[in-house]
Amino acid sequence: MESENTKVKESGLKRRVLLLTILVCLLVGWILVDKLVFSTGKSQPSQDEFVENAQDKLDSVSEQLNLRLIQIKKLGGKVNELETAKAQILGDQAHLEDIDPAEFQKKISFYVHLLGLKDAEIKKLTKENVNLTKRNDSLSREAQNLKVGLVTIQKALKDSSKTFGLKARELSERSRVLEIKNKELADKVSAAAALRAEGVNVYAISSRGKEATVNNQKAKKVDKIRVMFHLQENTLASKEIKTIFLRIIEPTGSTISDYNLGSGSFEFKGRDLTFTSRQRIFYENNHQSVEFIYTRPNGFKNGKHEIELYAEGYLIGLGTFEVR
């Protein structure tokens, strides 16, 4: 009887040990699973955090690029690089999960460098526009003074013929002098009302339609160019159709011309000048941009070329470009 009780006790003890062993194994398994889940969950937010931070940086850079683009466009500069960079950022944002962090940092460094270059360009364009505005204001004031003087002389001429009753010879002489002065002032007012071209730039156009600064391009590869400039605002100039003549002068001093492509000649200060191309525009007096597209099948010669722009009997702008 005592032996059977001992066996029962030993059997119960074994069951309790077995149960305790199972519980310990379950606890250890639960701890391992918990660590694995924690480890997996921790690595995933790290990638999400990179994508979120990268998105914020690209949004910030895109906003800054857009601000520079608006400023440069308002100042009459080229925005091709900024538009290309904005398109690249859109592409980067669409593939952030596939971008290596080191490669992403290189992209950010490039965009930051581009912002620095555009800040310098904005500073330069702003300075140029301030100088042009001052010059335009000065010309406007001078023209206004000349206009007032012209009215005064015309009134004096009219009053003198009615009031003073001078002798015929004296009146004729005075009238002649006043007419000469009247013509001089009229010419000055006309000159002040003439168009002014600013920011004359020349770009080479490839066979694929891509543009690049023409300077230092190989001559044999340049057969099509774009000449671009802006017309200053002028309160004395009339809003009307105006003809602008373009002359491209080669390093040899000869004017490029091809009558089959629209070249010809015009009168300037009593002599005929050959022009390369001409264009009729409607002058809107709003700092509008004007461009000439000119194709030279045989290409341009090596060296420095001069650009001359004429309108209404005046030389209104100059520029240069050089190919090698």
Side-chain angles (χ1 to χ4, degrees):
M1 188 68 176
E2 184 178 351
S3 176
E4 289 180 0
N5 290 335
T6 301
K7 288 182 180 180
V8 171
K9 290 179 180 180
E10 289 178 353
S11 177
L13 180 60
K14 287 180 181 180
R15 284 196 299 270
R16 286 194 291 271
V17 170
L18 179 60
L19 181 59
L20 182 60
T21 302
I22 292 173
L23 290 174
V24 170
C25 290
L26 289 173
L27 180 60
V28 171
W30 180 83
I31 292 173
L32 290 174
V33 170
D34 184 64
K35 286 185 176 180
L36 180 60
V37 171
F38 177 76
S39 176
T40 303
K42 185 176 181 180
S43 63
Q44 183 62 34
S46 177
Q47 175 66 15
D48 292 342
E49 184 178 354
F50 164 73
V51 172
E52 183 178 352
N53 290 338
Q55 182 69 49
D56 290 342
K57 288 182 179 179
L58 289 177
D59 287 342
S60 178
V61 170
S62 179
E63 182 179 353
Q64 293 301 316
L65 288 175
N66 193 55
L67 290 175
R68 270 66 169 185
L69 187 148
I70 294 172
Q71 288 179 288
I72 291 177
K73 184 178 288 186
K74 186 176 181 181
L75 293 170
K78 295 279 290 182
V79 295
N80 292 2
E81 283 185 298
L82 289 171
E83 289 176 340
T84 300
K86 287 189 66 180
Q88 289 175 347
I89 288 177
L90 290 176
D92 293 340
Q93 290 176 324
H95 301 89
L96 278 178
E97 294 182 354
D98 302 326
I99 295 180
D100 180 74
E103 181 65 24
F104 176 76
Q105 190 57 44
K106 290 181 181 179
K107 290 178 178 290
I108 290 295
S109 297
F110 167 75
Y111 295 138
V112 171
H113 177 67
L114 180 60
L115 285 172
L117 293 178
K118 293 307 170 183
D119 284 339
E121 184 177 342
I122 289 171
K123 184 177 181 181
K124 179 182 177 183
L125 288 172
T126 301
K127 183 177 180 181
E128 291 176 353
N129 276 268
V130 168
N131 292 335
L132 289 171
T133 300
K134 289 180 179 178
R135 181 184 174 194
N136 191 47
D137 290 343
S138 177
L139 288 172
S140 296
R141 287 194 297 271
E142 182 180 350
Q144 189 63 35
N145 292 335
L146 290 172
K147 199 170 185 179
V148 171
L150 178 60
V151 171
T152 302
I153 290 177
Q154 289 174 334
K155 186 176 184 300
L157 177 61
K158 184 177 180 180
D159 291 344
S160 65
S161 62
K162 290 181 178 180
T163 306
F164 296 103
L166 299 175
K167 294 180 181 179
R169 184 175 178 178
E170 293 175 343
L171 183 59
S172 177
E173 182 64 20
R174 181 165 182 174
S175 296
R176 187 179 68 83
V177 172
L178 289 173
E179 286 175 358
I180 292 174
K181 290 182 177 180
N182 187 24
K183 185 178 183 306
E184 291 176 349
L185 286 172
D187 290 342
K188 288 182 179 180
V189 171
S190 178
L195 302 183
R196 295 287 184 272
E198 62 182 19
V200 181
N201 292 304
V202 184
Y203 304 92
I205 305 176
S206 69
S207 58
R208 296 181 180 179
K210 293 185 177 181
E211 293 187 15
T213 301
V214 72
N215 287 327
N216 296 321
Q217 296 272 3
K218 291 183 179 179
K220 63 181 180 181
K221 292 186 177 181
V222 179
D223 58 7
K224 189 175 183 180
I225 63 172
R226 181 165 74 99
V227 179
M228 179 181 176
F229 55 92
H230 290 81
L231 294 176
Q232 290 183 9
E233 296 181 16
N234 189 337
T235 55
L236 297 177
S238 302
K239 292 184 178 181
E240 59 186 9
I241 294 176
K242 299 180 184 291
T243 301
I244 300 177
F245 297 94
L246 165 70
R247 298 184 75 212
I248 304 177
I249 303 171
E250 296 179 316
T252 59
S254 301
T255 301
I256 295 176
S257 62
D258 187 340
Y259 286 83
N260 293 326
L261 296 177
S263 298
S265 62
F266 65 98
E267 185 177 344
F268 179 71
K269 293 185 177 181
R271 61 192 182 99
D272 288 336
L273 291 182
T274 301
F275 64 84
T276 307
S277 182
R278 68 180 170 184
Q279 185 176 166
R280 285 167 59 84
I281 66 159
F282 184 84
Y283 178 67
E284 298 176 352
N285 202 4
N286 63 352
H287 198 252
Q288 70 200 81
S289 64
V290 181
E291 65 178 27
F292 281 83
I293 304 294
Y294 186 75
T295 302
R296 185 176 174 89
N298 297 327
F300 294 84
K301 295 181 179 180
N302 295 344
K304 186 176 182 181
H305 293 66
E306 302 287 341
I307 297 289
E308 293 181 354
L309 297 166
Y310 295 80
E312 301 180 310
Y314 293 96
L315 175 63
I316 67 170
L318 297 170
T320 62
F321 69 92
E322 188 169 357
V323 292
R324 54 185 174 85

